Amino acid sequence: DTGVSQDPRHKITKRGQNVTFRCDPISEHNRLYWYRQTLGQGPEFLTYFQNEAQLEKSRLLSDRFSAERPKGSFSTLEIQRTEQGDSAMYLCATGDTTFGDEQFFGPGTRLTVL
Amino acid sequence: AQSVTQLGSHVSVSEGALVLLRCNYSSSVPPYLFWYVQYPNQGLQLLLKYTSAATLVKGINGFEAEFKKSETSFHLTKPSAHMSDAAEYFCAVRTLSGGYQKVTFGTGTKLQVIP
């Protein structure tokens, strides 16, 4: 499977714990995006990487959230001191200038904070 | 700022009937518009996109959308619904921020297909 993959697919954690999600992009895609999707809503932009550089962060991304893409390949999204309001689906999407504006989405990681 | 509004959070159609999902956009520049589909517990898949070429855009699975500047609309249609079309559909617009592109999504429309 050469699509975008995300791990884990589901995560249940207790409030106050830290969680980390991983996204593996389609090979050679230089753009990588993280989105958060809550029930009944469309995906909301969180952050964007071009290669290893984080170029934009949404105001939704509080100080408890941090994302990295150390070698311009896979990316991680960490949430520290989780809150119940962090419960959502976290989606990763990747793209490349070859494909213009199209973003290819992974299956998402569903986070439940108890 | 660019945005999209989807009218109707839930739409029900009978199998074989016309599917019409509505999307209106707001943009100060010529927009790039998209329709995505999301099946339960899956990521989003691109159905079709408008990039200022032909106003009638054909996508996958028999879907198409027509860009109407006068109505600021980009409605998604399919002549005959199949059971497999039951999913959530998102309209989206490309926005430019800080010299790069990002996509802003609508709130989605859940399509139910009744046998």
Side-chain angles (χ1 to χ4, degrees):
Chain A
D1 187 348
T2 57
V4 179
S5 61
Q6 293 186 245
D7 183 71
R9 294 291 308 275
H10 303 273
K11 178 70 176 179
I12 300 174
T13 191
K14 293 182 179 179
R15 188 176 54 184
Q17 298 295 305
N18 299 342
V19 294
T20 300
F21 309 141
R22 177 179 170 123
C23 171
D24 285 274
I26 294 173
S27 178
E28 298 180 355
H29 275 193
N30 58 3
R31 299 173 180 165
L32 188 144
Y33 307 79
W34 284 99
Y35 293 86
R36 181 171 66 189
Q37 185 179 21
T38 53
L39 201 61
Q41 298 296 318
E44 296 174 297
F45 170 80
L46 291 179
T47 190
Y48 163 71
F49 289 86
Q50 178 140 335
N51 298 310
E52 66 276 10
Q54 187 175 21
L55 298 184
E56 183 77 6
K57 292 196 298 184
S58 165
R59 289 172 296 172
L60 294 174
L61 212 63
S62 77
D63 291 343
R64 297 184 296 105
F65 287 69
S66 62
E68 294 183 343
R69 195 183 184 197
K71 297 183 179 179
S73 57
F74 73 92
S75 176
T76 58
L77 177 68
E78 181 183 16
I79 309 174
Q80 296 182 325
R81 304 181 303 282
T82 53
E83 301 173 357
Q84 288 186 324
D86 297 331
S87 296
M89 175 78 87
Y90 291 84
L91 294 165
C92 175
T94 70
D96 187 81
T97 50
T98 306
F99 298 98
D101 303 280
E102 184 168 355
Q103 296 183 19
F104 296 81
F105 282 80
T109 294
R110 182 167 296 282
L111 173 66
T112 301
V113 181
L114 302 177
Chain B
Q2 292 86 357
S3 66
V4 290
T5 301
Q6 291 185 244
L7 303 176
S9 59
H10 291 81
V11 170
S12 293
V13 299
S14 298
E15 190 175 15
L18 171 71
V19 175
L20 171 60
L21 305 182
R22 300 178 186 273
C23 173
N24 288 88
Y25 69 89
S26 172
S27 178
S28 57
V29 297
Y32 279 23
L33 296 162
F34 309 85
W35 275 100
Y36 283 84
V37 61
Q38 186 177 32
Y39 297 99
N41 297 314
Q42 294 188 27
L44 281 71
Q45 180 183 11
L46 182 67
L47 276 178
L48 50 82
K49 61 182 179 181
Y50 168 76
T51 57
S52 73
T55 56
L56 183 62
V57 181
K58 294 186 183 299
I60 62 172
N61 301 339
F63 284 93
E64 62 182 35
E66 186 172 9
F67 174 75
K68 291 186 177 180
K69 184 177 179 180
S70 61
E71 299 177 7
T72 62
S73 68
F74 189 58
H75 302 331
L76 182 70
T77 61
K78 182 173 181 178
S80 176
H82 295 168
M83 295 299 297
S84 61
D85 295 327
E88 190 156 21
Y89 293 79
F90 293 93
C91 183
V93 61
R94 187 190 75 171
T95 56
L96 289 174
S97 173
Y100 76 93
Q101 59 178 318
K102 67 177 184 183
V103 176
T104 300
F105 290 86
T107 53
T109 298
K110 281 189 177 177
L111 176 65
Q112 180 186 22
V113 182
I114 303 167

